Amino acid sequence: MIRIPLLAAASVLMLAACASAPEATKVPGGTDAEASSTVPDSAFELAMQTVEGLVDAGNTQAAVDRLTQLLGSPTLSKEEYAETLFRRGELRFGPSGYDAIGAAEDFEEIVDSYGDTEWYTAAVPMLDSARGKVTTLETQLSQPETSKMQKFNFLMELGMHQDAMDLMIANDLVPSNEALIAMYDIGYLCEGDELTGRAYEAVEMDGTTRELRFCDFGK
């Protein structure tokens, strides 16, 4: 699974920070590098910096999970909620996000429900891009010449993770190191002596080597 102590600490920090967060507005499209190195002006900014710290550490899936938790906070202003949706969509759409369908849904929610926020303008072209990616992947997935490994990759990128796992197991596929780490972060692959089945060697961004097996095998 994802590094539990790191996630627990990040979760506590975020939820505690949002409990008393004043409203804050940031420029759409990303975090200012200089500002991120200073003391945050609000509890919401602190929460978002925690997310960026997870991304910088290579824990994209953990960052997505934290943003999902943040979206459940009743203290978020409309601008903050739209920003959180936008950032989650960015991460899902990115090369380590593995969820193009989820990204399109995030951007679509901003366009449909938050047109009066500053994030609407940024979300419109991102929605077009995400929808385009989904269409392309679905078209490639349906081609008869597409290999099983390619289908696995397309399913992962779309965010259809269970279908990708079923295909992987049925055809004894060995994904790329990046995909294996993503599967570990999402929670399909785990470490543990009690697990059975095929082992997959994977190396994290920091050089940590892991021997992974499907989490449900052997329990």
Side-chain angles (χ1 to χ4, degrees):
M1 285 291 210
I2 308 171
R3 276 66 80 205
I4 299 301
L6 176 60
L7 289 189
S11 177
V12 170
L13 177 59
M14 251 191 206
L15 296 180
C18 290
S20 60
E23 292 189 9
T25 302
K26 296 165 67 178
V27 177
T31 301
D32 187 290
E34 182 178 351
S36 66
S37 65
T38 63
V39 177
D41 293 331
S42 71
F44 176 72
E45 282 196 8
L46 177 60
M48 294 300 281
Q49 284 189 21
T50 300
V51 169
E52 295 308 317
L54 289 169
V55 174
D56 291 342
N59 298 323
T60 300
Q61 298 301 326
V64 169
D65 290 343
R66 299 287 68 76
L67 288 167
T68 301
Q69 287 187 350
L70 185 57
L71 287 169
S73 172
T75 66
L76 293 183
S77 69
K78 181 177 288 189
E79 287 287 343
E80 289 169 345
Y81 193 92
E83 178 182 352
T84 305
L85 271 177
F86 187 87
R87 185 60 179 130
R88 188 175 70 170
E90 277 189 321
L91 292 180
R92 284 173 159 178
F93 185 65
S96 300
Y98 290 100
D99 194 358
I101 292 175
E105 290 172 349
D106 285 341
F107 298 131
E108 183 175 23
E109 183 174 352
I110 297 172
V111 171
D112 289 347
S113 303
Y114 296 91
D116 56 345
T117 70
E118 61 178 330
W119 296 92
Y120 172 84
T121 301
V124 170
M126 291 299 291
L127 175 58
D128 289 340
S129 296
R131 283 175 171 170
K133 182 175 182 178
V134 170
T135 299
T136 298
L137 290 171
E138 289 178 339
T139 299
Q140 293 173 325
L141 189 62
S142 65
Q143 298 302 310
E145 67 271 17
T146 301
S147 69
K148 294 291 195 301
M149 192 71 251
Q150 289 173 322
K151 287 184 177 181
F152 169 85
N153 290 328
F154 297 152
L155 288 168
M156 282 291 290
E157 289 187 60
L158 282 166
M160 301 173 65
H161 302 138
Q162 186 58 61
D163 290 339
M165 298 310 106
D166 292 342
L167 185 68
M168 175 180 168
I169 295 170
N171 295 276
D172 197 24
L173 302 176
V174 181
S176 67
N177 182 75
E178 182 182 14
L180 288 171
I181 292 299
M183 291 163 61
Y184 172 60
D185 288 342
I186 294 169
Y188 285 99
L189 295 178
C190 296
E191 286 186 299
D193 295 336
E194 77 281 6
L195 300 177
T196 60
R198 179 170 182 167
Y200 302 90
E201 296 291 335
V203 182
E204 299 239 35
M205 189 174 70
D206 64 0
T208 301
T209 301
R210 300 190 182 280
E211 185 174 87
L212 305 174
R213 291 180 171 84
F214 281 96
C215 301
D216 294 334
F217 287 11
K219 291 186 177 180

